[in-house]
Amino acid sequence: MDYLRVKEELKKTRIDLKDSKVTVEKNKLDEVGKEAEKAKIKESNLEKQIYALKDKLFTVEKKNTDLHKSNKEYTVVVQKMDIRIKELTQALDKAKIDIDSLEKNKSQKEK
């Protein structure tokens, strides 16, 4: 009788141990699941940040392209102004020569 009672107690203890082991494993799986959810949320947030940075990069590249276009346009304008300044300088030099020549002619006629 004691043998059967001890055997029954052992069965109950084994069942309790198995239940405890299952509970521990289930708790570990729940923790892993929670960590996986947190990781997914972090991954999602990182993806959002990546998309935002890509958008900013595109905007900066577009502005950079626009600046290069503007710079080229200004360079052309400056080159045209340089040419015009040279033309005006040449015209001024010619006018000075003409004035000097006229003054020489005038002074020669007066003599």
Side-chain angles (χ1 to χ4, degrees):
M1 198 81 165
D2 283 336
Y3 172 75
L4 291 175
R5 196 179 74 216
V6 169
K7 190 175 178 181
E8 276 302 310
E9 286 296 319
L10 280 173
K11 279 185 185 178
K12 286 181 184 177
T13 304
R14 283 186 190 141
I15 290 171
D16 287 346
L17 286 173
K18 285 181 184 177
D19 287 346
S20 295
K21 187 175 181 181
V22 167
T23 302
V24 167
E25 291 298 320
K26 190 175 179 183
N27 287 343
K28 286 182 183 177
L29 286 175
D30 287 345
E31 286 178 33
V32 169
K34 288 177 185 176
E35 291 299 319
E37 267 310 306
K38 288 179 184 176
K40 284 181 185 177
I41 291 170
K42 285 181 182 178
E43 180 182 14
S44 175
N45 288 339
L46 288 173
E47 285 177 355
K48 289 176 184 175
Q49 289 175 357
I50 288 170
Y51 288 128
L53 288 172
K54 283 182 179 179
D55 188 47
K56 286 181 182 178
L57 178 63
F58 176 76
T59 302
V60 167
E61 286 175 345
K62 186 175 181 329
K63 286 181 180 178
N64 192 27
T65 302
D66 292 345
L67 285 173
H68 280 294
K69 286 179 184 175
S70 294
N71 191 25
K72 286 180 182 177
E73 291 170 2
Y74 287 129
T75 301
V76 168
V77 168
V78 167
Q79 288 171 346
K80 287 180 181 178
M81 288 174 65
D82 281 345
I83 291 170
R84 185 67 180 140
I85 288 170
K86 287 177 185 175
E87 290 172 352
L88 290 172
T89 303
Q90 289 173 351
L92 181 62
D93 290 343
K94 187 176 183 241
K96 285 180 182 178
I97 291 171
D98 288 346
I99 290 171
D100 289 344
S101 167
L102 287 172
E103 285 180 353
K104 284 182 184 177
N105 285 342
K106 182 180 175 185
S107 66
Q108 286 176 355
K109 285 183 182 178
E110 289 176 354
K111 288 185 179 180

